[in-house]
């Protein structure tokens, strides 16, 4: 028994401007027309929706939080995140894809020189190009500062100045389909202070992606190792100063974690809506199962988790928009929203009973997708490490 997803109540939100309401309405329309109808089939087949990403780019949705003068949408983070939630509710691969692209643009947009921003940012934000963020390596995941991909500066200080980059990046979202890689490399000694950021075009000779990983879920979003073999990257593609790369990477992650939190709420919301509709129409013992208190309490807890998650990511986003410190709150939002998404999607499967365990309904896919959100951009154990350190100053 397959059921339509109930229209989501995205329009009854408190939004800061009419422009924001229009943006959300446009997003909703794109989701309903382009993303949601193809999501189940394309995820099952592991097909990346490159055209849909281009369409989002042309609609101005790939550079929302960045300044207008470089081609961005200059929207507050609280608006950008709600757009992400809408996209992820329609298809996580796309919501996360936009979040990862935004993360990949962060170094240039925030730490690039004026000349670098004018030269490259408009094409990164314009929608034709897609970005990836390359921090993790096979041997350095949670301990990201232990990365070993080496960039050696060669060619003097003139036009020939370049870095020769050698190493392997692991788990790269958009690996093999991205047009540029925002890449953390080691230019100095061990530890965080030896790390720098290079903005590497994907067609640089010596850069190649392996076949995508065979994942439990999120199969439409390619995740691959990216190999650098003496790849020659012009020195002008160094973003910020040598040695500044790890703090740039962490500042990108503070913002990126808010994106993951919003995506998690989107997936949870889609699961909740589906479960509510199912519970209203499925009858057992002569009554809709929604009338059994055991089930309606479950739905009530799921709805509360969705609302609490949204409130938490919005409150962290508003701190960011106001120029306040938000790293601790971003880690809390990522931790809470992704754990909530795991619980809500698991409960949605339970609400559908045996039907929930089949691929005839989307809730088993939501459950598989929610799992990865507890792992990427810092596992939820690492979020607790971040929060604990901020609390105690350790
Ligand atoms: C689908 C997917 C997409 C991804 N996309 C990207 C991407 O685009 N770019 C990118 O750079 N990376 C990406 N990642 C990598 C992701 O960020 C890492 O997988 C994650 O940081 C964990 O690293 P790891 O897998 O090496 O696990 P490990 O670091 O080996 O951790 C293994 C376990 O140990 C725990 N652990 C480790 N250290 C501690 C500690 N100090 N305290 C308590 N527990 C600890 C972890 O929480 C985890 O449970 C992606 C991963 C996945 C699965």
């Amino acid at each position: 028994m397959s059921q339509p997803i109930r229209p989501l109540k995205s329009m009854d939100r408190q939004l800061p401007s009419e422009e924001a309401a229009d943006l959300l309405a446009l997003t909703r329309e794109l989701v309903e027309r382009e993303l949601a109808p193809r999501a189940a089939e394309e995820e099952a087949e592991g097909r990346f929706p490159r055209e849909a990403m281009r369409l989002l780019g042309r609609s101005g949705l790939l550079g929302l939080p960045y300044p207008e003068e470089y081609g961005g949408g200059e929207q507050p983070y609280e608006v950008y995140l709600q757009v992400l939630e809408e996209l992820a509710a329609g298809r996580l691969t796309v919501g996360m894809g936009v979040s990862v692209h935004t993360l990949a643009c962060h170094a240039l947009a925030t730490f690039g020189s004026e000349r670098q921003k004018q030269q490259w940012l408009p094409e990164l934000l314009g929608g034709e190009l897609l970005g990836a963020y390359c921090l993790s390596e096979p041997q350095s995941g949670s301990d990201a500062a232990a990365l070993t991909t080496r960039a050696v500066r060669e060619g003097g200080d003139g036009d020939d100045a370049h870095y020769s980059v050698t190493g392997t990046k692991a788990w790269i979202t958009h690996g093999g389909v991205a047009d540029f890689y925002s890449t953390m490399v080691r230019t100095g000694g061990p530890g965080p202070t030896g790390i720098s950021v290079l903005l590497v075009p994907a067609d640089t000779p010596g850069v190649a992606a392996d076949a995508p990983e065979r994942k439990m879920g999120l199969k439409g979003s390619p995740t691959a190792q990216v190999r650098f073999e003496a790849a020659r990257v012009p020195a002008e593609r160094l973003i910020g100063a040598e040695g500044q790369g790890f703090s740039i990477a962490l500042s990108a992650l503070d913002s990126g974690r808010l994106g993951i939190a919003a995506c998690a709420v989107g997936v949870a919301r889609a699961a909740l809506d589906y479960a509510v509709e199912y519970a209203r129409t499925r009858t057992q013992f002569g009554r809709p199962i929604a009338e059994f208190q055991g089930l309606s309490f479950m739905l009530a807890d799921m709805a509360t988790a969705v609302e609490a998650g949204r409130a938490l990511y919005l409150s962290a986003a508003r701190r960011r928009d106001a120029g306040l410190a938000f790293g601790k709150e971003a880690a809390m939002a990522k931790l809470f929203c992704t754990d909530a998404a795991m619980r809500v999607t698991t409960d949605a499967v339970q609400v559908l009973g045996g039907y929930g365990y089949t691929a005839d309904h989307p809730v088993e896919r939501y459950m598989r997708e929610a799992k990865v959100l507890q792992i990427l951009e810092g596992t939820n154990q690492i979020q607790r490490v971040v929060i604990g350190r901020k609390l105690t100053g350790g």
Side-chain angles (χ1 to χ4, degrees), residues 43-188:
E43 285 302 320
E45 292 170 359
R47 248 188 293 148
F48 179 62
R50 186 66 185 90
E51 265 318 303
M53 296 300 289
R54 254 187 215 106
L55 179 65
L56 294 184
R58 288 184 201 129
S59 309
L61 298 179
L62 275 191
L64 278 181
Y66 295 119
E68 267 179 355
E69 69 170 303
Y70 304 110
E74 202 148 337
Q75 288 298 312
Y77 233 65
E78 68 162 303
V79 174
Y80 158 65
L81 292 183
Q82 292 185 77
V83 167
L84 277 189
E85 185 194 316
E86 292 292 329
L87 292 172
R91 186 166 177 193
L92 180 60
T93 283
V94 174
M96 227 189 76
V98 173
S99 181
V100 166
H101 176 81
T102 307
L103 183 70
C105 296
H106 180 93
L108 175 61
T110 314
F111 296 90
S113 68
E114 194 48 43
R115 191 184 58 75
Q116 289 175 318
K117 285 196 273 195
Q118 289 197 0
Q119 198 174 345
W120 298 313
L121 204 45
E123 62 176 12
L124 265 56
L125 303 181
E128 288 303 316
L129 302 188
L130 188 67
Y133 174 87
C134 301
L135 176 63
S136 305
E137 297 184 357
Q139 304 307 328
S140 72
S142 300
D143 186 9
L147 65 85
T148 60
T149 294
R150 170 63 65 183
V152 180
R153 193 177 164 112
E154 297 171 343
D157 289 327
D159 287 350
D160 192 41
H162 64 272
Y163 289 92
S164 176
V165 183
T166 300
T168 302
K169 291 294 175 180
W171 305 111
I172 304 308
T173 301
H174 300 161
V177 298
D179 299 292
F180 64 93
Y181 295 116
S182 191
T183 310
M184 274 44 78
V185 293
R186 187 160 299 286
T187 48

Side-chain angles (χ1 to χ4, degrees), residues 24-344:
L24 246 77
L26 168 71
T27 309
R28 188 79 218 125
E29 188 200 318
L30 289 174
V31 165
E32 278 171 2
R33 204 182 61 220
E34 304 289 336
L35 305 185
R38 294 192 256 281
E41 186 186 335
E42 290 193 354
E43 285 302 320
E45 292 170 359
R47 248 188 293 148
F48 179 62
R50 186 66 185 90
E51 265 318 303
M53 296 300 289
R54 254 187 215 106
L55 179 65
L56 294 184
R58 288 184 201 129
S59 309
L61 298 179
L62 275 191
L64 278 181
Y66 295 119
E68 267 179 355
E69 69 170 303
Y70 304 110
E74 202 148 337
Q75 288 298 312
Y77 233 65
E78 68 162 303
V79 174
Y80 158 65
L81 292 183
Q82 292 185 77
V83 167
L84 277 189
E85 185 194 316
E86 292 292 329
L87 292 172
R91 186 166 177 193
L92 180 60
T93 283
V94 174
M96 227 189 76
V98 173
S99 181
V100 166
H101 176 81
T102 307
L103 183 70
C105 296
H106 180 93
L108 175 61
T110 314
F111 296 90
S113 68
E114 194 48 43
R115 191 184 58 75
Q116 289 175 318
K117 285 196 273 195
Q118 289 197 0
Q119 198 174 345
W120 298 313
L121 204 45
E123 62 176 12
L124 265 56
L125 303 181
E128 288 303 316
L129 302 188
L130 188 67
Y133 174 87
C134 301
L135 176 63
S136 305
E137 297 184 357
Q139 304 307 328
S140 72
S142 300
D143 186 9
L147 65 85
T148 60
T149 294
R150 170 63 65 183
V152 180
R153 193 177 164 112
E154 297 171 343
D157 289 327
D159 287 350
D160 192 41
H162 64 272
Y163 289 92
S164 176
V165 183
T166 300
T168 302
K169 291 294 175 180
W171 305 111
I172 304 308
T173 301
H174 300 161
V177 298
D179 299 292
F180 64 93
Y181 295 116
S182 191
T183 310
M184 274 44 78
V185 293
R186 187 160 299 286
T187 48
T193 53
I195 294 172
S196 305
V197 183
L198 293 174
L199 190 65
V200 183
D203 59 2
T204 303
V207 178
D210 287 356
E213 306 290 347
R214 295 171 305 135
K215 305 194 298 291
M216 174 196 290
L218 205 68
K219 296 180 187 209
S221 169
T223 311
Q225 290 206 344
V226 177
R227 294 176 191 279
F228 297 79
E229 285 170 21
R232 186 186 162 112
V233 180
E236 61 171 3
R237 285 188 165 265
L238 174 74
I239 308 296
E242 274 198 12
Q244 205 189 349
F246 198 64
S247 58
I248 295 176
L250 291 191
S251 99
L253 282 179
D254 280 345
S255 297
R257 283 167 184 162
L258 285 176
I260 299 303
C263 286
V265 171
V267 174
R269 196 188 80 187
L272 167 69
D273 283 345
Y274 201 91
V276 167
E277 195 56 38
Y278 187 89
R280 281 152 47 94
T281 50
R282 170 77 173 171
T283 56
Q284 288 294 287
F285 301 99
R287 298 201 261 163
I289 57 172
E291 289 183 14
F292 300 120
Q293 196 179 57
L295 211 80
S296 74
F297 275 18
M298 198 187 268
L299 294 171
D301 286 345
M302 291 159 72
T304 305
V306 168
E307 292 291 329
R310 183 181 301 122
L312 197 55
Y313 85 61
L314 282 178
S315 129
R318 286 173 186 145
R319 287 184 64 87
R320 187 187 190 281
D321 289 332
L324 299 170
F326 66 98
K328 178 176 74 182
E329 291 76 11
M332 287 172 168
K334 198 272 183 186
L335 169 65
F336 181 88
C337 294
T338 60
D339 279 357
M342 193 70 247
R343 273 197 316 278
V344 168

